[in-house]
Amino acid sequence: MVIKEKENIITDMAWERLHERFKQDGLLPETNAPERASWRVTSRPEERHGAKFIAWAATVAVLLTAVFSALYITGRANDPGKKLLVLHNEANAPTLATMLRDGSVVYLSEQTSLQYPDRFAGDRREVILSGEAFFEVNRNDGCPFFVDTDPATIEVTGTAFNVKSKDRSSFLLSVRDGEVRVSLKNRRQSVFVKAGETVFLDAERQLLSKTDSQQFDGNFKRIHFKDERLGNIIAIINTHSDSIRIKIDPELENRLLTIPVTLGNNLPEIAEIICLVLNLRRSHNENIIYISKKE
């Protein structure tokens, strides 16, 4: 068997594993057509490879059409000249992850929207949230981070917390690390929430605190990335692995990728999918997986 035929067989097997993984995780759109129809075998290896790639790309495109939307908007009522990006996660969608330019990471739950600038300017980092999200804020004592919600404003310098706020009558915030200041907009009330504590609005729209140490158990196992820089994707998934790490060539960091992943210690499988989608190569040395361009 020649080398080209071996490569085709390996590639076909990899696509089959990817298809099966998407099926198991519920990431394939439902269809009444026979399951194997889009994975038919053609007469020539190059046609077979192309057909599988097109089928995979079409599957992901349908999935993303139903799950995500990302767009540019211009400003807010009180700041009409400010250009913001909007990232929106639809109903019944896995968590959508993104890394902001300051290195902070945001995990958006379903039916959640985040508005944020492409680059933070001045001595203030500010985003606007509607829905539920988990924030891991990169520490910067000289430039605090603000999350604007309907009922309250959240201020931190560097911490990790989860916030739910869909309208003016609903608000709940739990802190995993550090300390967060929450200020109501309709009255002069501010509270500081520490690690292991939760603050919420009661019936009289007062901020009350309680201890809730179980708030973060099992947070965000299955996530998606939408048009995310490869460097950001690698940085995020590496933080969820206990031993293995992925490293990429610096020239690949700005490649954009849309991909679903299951976080944990399955980095070899994630690296394989990344290489298949972006036509890259990988090598393994002890606990490091290297991704680079094909020679």
Side-chain angles (χ1 to χ4, degrees):
M1 184 180 295
V2 298
I3 294 177
K4 182 63 176 177
E5 291 176 339
K6 290 182 178 179
E7 289 179 348
N8 287 331
I9 291 175
I10 293 173
T11 301
D12 289 348
M13 292 174 62
W15 285 120
E16 293 292 346
R17 288 198 300 271
L18 175 59
H19 178 270
E20 186 61 27
R21 180 57 178 273
F22 279 15
K23 178 182 176 183
Q24 292 175 358
D25 287 348
L27 297 175
L28 294 177
E30 294 183 0
T31 176
N32 294 326
E35 179 183 336
R36 301 286 297 179
S38 63
W39 299 84
R40 62 183 178 86
V41 177
T42 58
S43 58
R44 296 201 304 271
E46 57 270 28
E47 289 181 333
R48 184 170 66 251
H49 185 195
K52 288 179 179 294
F53 180 83
I54 292 172
W56 180 89
T59 296
V60 173
V62 171
L63 170 69
L64 293 173
T65 298
V67 174
F68 302 114
S69 62
L71 53 106
Y72 286 92
I73 67 170
T74 302
R76 297 159 53 193
N78 61 349
D79 192 4
K82 191 173 183 180
K83 190 175 184 179
L84 298 177
L85 297 170
V86 174
L87 194 60
H88 180 67
N89 200 13
E90 298 289 352
N92 303 317
T95 300
L96 175 58
T98 190
M99 179 178 285
L100 306 180
R101 284 299 186 99
D102 69 334
S104 298
V105 179
V106 187
Y107 300 87
L108 303 181
S109 297
E110 62 174 320
Q111 291 185 300
T112 296
S113 295
L114 181 74
Q115 300 179 35
Y116 59 100
D118 183 42
R119 294 179 182 273
F120 294 111
D123 58 357
R124 182 185 180 99
R125 298 172 288 169
E126 184 175 8
V127 300
I128 306 168
L129 177 71
S130 177
E132 178 181 4
F134 181 77
F135 290 81
E136 293 178 332
V137 177
N138 199 25
R139 189 172 189 86
N140 185 341
D141 293 334
C143 188
F145 191 98
F146 293 85
V147 180
D148 188 2
T149 71
D150 273 346
T153 300
I154 303 159
E155 179 182 356
V156 302
T157 54
T159 183
F161 59 93
N162 193 79
V163 58
K164 299 179 184 178
S165 180
K166 294 185 178 181
D167 51 50
R168 289 188 176 275
S169 61
S170 66
F171 183 87
L172 185 147
L173 179 143
S174 299
V175 180
R176 190 189 70 183
D177 305 311
E179 185 177 66
V180 173
R181 180 182 181 182
V182 180
S183 301
L184 279 180
K185 291 181 176 180
N186 64 341
R187 62 186 66 190
R188 294 182 179 180
Q189 183 189 8
S190 295
V191 296
F192 288 90
V193 191
K194 298 180 180 180
E197 294 181 342
T198 294
V199 64
F200 62 97
L201 280 175
D202 67 356
E204 274 72 42
R205 293 179 54 77
Q206 295 285 337
L207 289 170
L208 300 178
S209 297
K210 65 178 181 179
T211 300
D212 189 6
S213 60
Q214 304 301 315
Q215 175 71 26
F216 306 102
D217 289 354
N219 252 347
F220 310 133
K221 182 69 174 177
R222 293 172 56 217
I223 68 173
H224 278 66
F225 296 98
K226 166 62 177 172
D227 290 334
E228 191 73 25
R229 293 175 63 250
L230 183 57
N232 293 347
I233 293 174
I234 299 303
I236 292 173
I237 64 179
N238 277 341
T239 63
H240 293 270
S241 176
D242 296 331
S243 55
I244 301 176
R245 293 289 183 271
I246 297 178
K247 289 188 177 181
I248 62 173
D249 287 345
E251 60 184 315
L252 299 176
E253 289 186 353
N254 289 324
R255 296 282 297 272
L256 297 181
L257 181 61
T258 295
I259 188 173
V261 300
T262 300
L263 297 175
N265 292 319
N266 59 333
L267 265 64
E269 185 176 337
I270 295 175
E272 180 181 21
I273 295 173
I274 290 173
C275 290
L276 285 171
V277 174
L278 297 180
N279 194 29
L280 303 174
R281 65 182 296 270
R282 68 185 179 99
S283 57
H284 204 153
N285 183 10
E286 295 182 350
N287 291 330
I288 303 296
I289 300 172
Y290 296 93
I291 295 180
S292 58
K293 287 184 176 181
K294 288 184 176 180
E295 296 179 354

